[in-house]
Amino acid sequence: MRLFPAFLVVGALALWPMSAAATDGDALREIGQRPDAGENVFVEKGVRVEFSVVPTEDRNGLPTTIVDGDIARVSFRITDADTGAPISPLQPAAWITRTESSVEDLGCSERIGRYIQGMLGFQADVDLNKYFILFLNDDASISVVDPLLGVSGITQLYTMVPLAAPAEDWVTNQNGTRLFVTMPKVGQVAMVDLDDFKIIAQGEAGTLPIRIAIQPDGRYLWVGDDAADDGPSGVVVLDARTLAEVGSVATGSGHHEIAFTDDSLFALVTNEDDGKLTVVDTQRLVPVAELEIGERPVTVQFSQLSQNAYVADADGAVAVVAREPWRVVRTIETGPGLVAFRLDPTGRWGFAARAEADRVDVIDVSRNAVVHRLDVGRLPHQLAFSDTYGYVRHLGSAEITLVPLPQLSGKGRPGLQTVNFGSRPPGEYPYPSYADAISPTGEYGAMVATNPADRMVYYYLEGMIAPMGSFSAYGRVPRAVGVVDRSLRETDAGLYQATFKVPDSGEYSVALLLDSPWVDNCFTFTAERDPEKAQVTPDDPLRIEYLTEARVTAAGRPFELQFALSRAGSAEPMTGIDDVFVLTTRPPGNWQRRQVARPLGDGRYSVSVPADKEGVYYVTVAVPSLDVDFAELPHVSFRATASAAADDRG
């Protein structure tokens, strides 16, 4: 499946005719030839654009200095050139590319046209129009899928993140640069860099870490440690920058769900077996209140709108908890079998899913009362929200029920919509994840949802009667799904921003495209060399030499491949590496095989690649311990043929 915003598709067709007839003031002006009063301000067709790039954190008191490796924020303030009024909403597109001769030779509009075409040979260093879909798999891995660009038309699998053990839950930080993953079997949390999708740290998190949450201020990670009866049970608190443990709090036995007040001053922790809610001071890491909730509290949410916490109990009630002093001020009766509770993005509506009754009760937090009782599909299990709909996922059917949020404030019953996400009920897979199975993509009205029974993830656009497409898990079971959004978003009226990691030092060109009116321009900024890096001579890049000269083998027999690893510019071989991974693919189709190469000494490695069928096989190599991914080293190909098999027998 290939998905593009509609305006980009139309615009790509329009760019080239414009280029052919370009004149002064038309779309093919070079950088710096635009009419305006400064290089960071641009005015055309009644639109004024102010451009800036700043680091998200100050560096030595110089907040405007950009250095390589920084997490930077790019901003475009788009206003009416005459009145100064913000222009909203828009869908601006932007690309960031380090200035090189191949870029300088092209006009700004021509360059944008090539970006839109999605040419593999002409890619931006940073694409601010895309997102990645993450699958939390049943094995010890996370799949990263690029929904916009497949590899040679064969696969949309962008990369894989190998884990030390299967994951159960995950959360991202506020600017979307880090992913934190719990791994219960090894008692750890992994930190994944979402720029290059590599694990950069692992931290101990008790004996059975399940749930993970991050404070609104981004300071601490809170991990629910569902320890056994004979061990401490509660929460482990980790530094979100380093994964170092800063403390732990024994709260009570059973499973723990975690929420925070919007000011990050208090953490709210449920204790399922004890029937209690523990309130923890996040500054001192000590409990300040313990409240009796019911027989089995299953989740907790905090509403910024009402400044109350809502704790759902499996026996069929939602406790309303007021803060300071912490106390239960009301109990909202729903009914037995309550398995999930979640507030919508505004904090106004609370959805309580009752599996036994196949029902969702909608609570108006402004009244703390049930205002709708909705009959939905079999065994509602998880809840999710877009800006306009509530999503109810079921275990007993492949349907997902959509509840229109704007209709909840009316007197009548909201009109429900059901959409089939696959053919088999998700409950046929026996190990549902605590992590969300439904996630918004960042595109308006677009969602992705996993069905582990089908081993598929589905893409849905609101208003459609069925998903628009699906993504394969390539033999794995996708238990949960998430999205890494790298696109520009409107953070204030007329202000469009995104964060990105600066790839290297040097001068960069930032290409911007607006669709209404059709306006494009290229801005520039410079990234300095990190002074700390400048004092260290970096290692030369890894070099691979494929030693096997014959590239044809007999179908049905393994292909013996040998290669050598060394550093570029050095004759010294890279010996004794035990994590040289080899990935083999065979197009067309989804077949692939991962292996570990055998060291032969003197920097040489060998692998026996399976070649069971005729066709062309592509082999790539990665070395995680040296931060070398499959895309960084040249690949090699070989062909398996029946004639070679006949020659071998003869």
Side-chain angles (χ1 to χ4, degrees), residues 286-310:
V286 296
V288 294
E290 186 175 81
L291 307 177
E292 297 283 348
I293 296 298
E295 292 298 322
R296 191 159 57 90
V298 293
T299 190
V300 58
Q301 297 269 287
F302 183 82
S303 171
Q304 183 178 359
L305 185 65
S306 68
Q307 289 295 297
N308 290 328
Y310 295 81

Side-chain angles (χ1 to χ4, degrees), residues 282-522:
T282 62
Q283 308 299 307
R284 298 180 293 138
L285 300 184
V286 296
V288 294
E290 186 175 81
L291 307 177
E292 297 283 348
I293 296 298
E295 292 298 322
R296 191 159 57 90
V298 293
T299 190
V300 58
Q301 297 269 287
F302 183 82
S303 171
Q304 183 178 359
L305 185 65
S306 68
Q307 289 295 297
N308 290 328
Y310 295 81
V311 188
D313 186 81
D315 281 356
V318 177
V320 183
V321 178
R323 60 182 293 181
E324 298 168 280
W326 294 94
R327 63 205 185 278
V328 177
V329 295
R330 180 172 296 183
T331 299
I332 305 171
E333 296 295 335
T334 58
L338 205 157
V339 295
F341 179 84
R342 181 167 287 191
L343 295 167
D344 79 317
T346 68
R348 167 73 183 278
W349 307 107
F351 281 33
R354 297 171 55 199
E356 294 180 5
D358 296 337
R359 175 177 290 178
V360 168
D361 293 341
V362 180
I363 295 173
D364 184 346
V365 304
S366 66
R367 299 159 52 189
N368 285 330
V370 175
V371 292
H372 297 286
R373 298 188 186 273
L374 307 177
D375 294 323
V376 296
R378 293 190 61 241
L379 301 177
H381 174 252
Q382 277 195 348
L383 304 163
F385 294 93
S386 69
D387 291 336
T388 52
Y389 284 93
Y391 286 72
V392 184
R393 178 178 182 261
H394 314 98
L395 292 181
S397 74
E399 293 179 342
I400 289 180
T401 302
L402 277 66
V403 182
L405 298 178
Q407 296 181 21
L408 295 179
S409 56
K411 294 183 179 179
R413 174 187 172 88
L416 306 183
Q417 179 184 354
T418 58
V419 179
N420 280 315
F421 282 71
S423 59
R424 300 170 58 190
E428 289 186 7
Y429 178 76
Y431 308 109
S433 172
Y434 283 100
D436 287 346
I438 308 174
S439 176
T441 66
E443 298 176 287
Y444 180 77
M447 306 285 285
V448 286
T450 179
N451 186 333
D454 285 348
R455 299 194 175 197
M456 299 292 289
V457 171
Y458 295 91
Y459 174 90
Y460 176 72
L461 191 62
E462 290 175 354
M464 307 299 289
I465 62 174
M468 293 184 64
S470 60
F471 305 96
S472 170
Y474 304 102
R476 297 173 172 84
V477 177
R479 300 177 62 224
V481 65
V483 171
V484 177
D485 188 2
R486 296 197 176 156
S487 60
L488 287 167
R489 294 294 164 208
E490 188 172 17
T491 58
D492 196 4
L495 179 61
Y496 301 86
Q497 296 181 313
T499 57
F500 68 99
K501 184 176 181 179
V502 181
D504 204 346
S505 58
E507 184 172 311
Y508 286 85
S509 172
V510 183
L512 174 69
L513 173 64
L514 305 180
D515 66 318
S516 182
W518 190 273
V519 171
D520 62 89
N521 187 55
C522 289

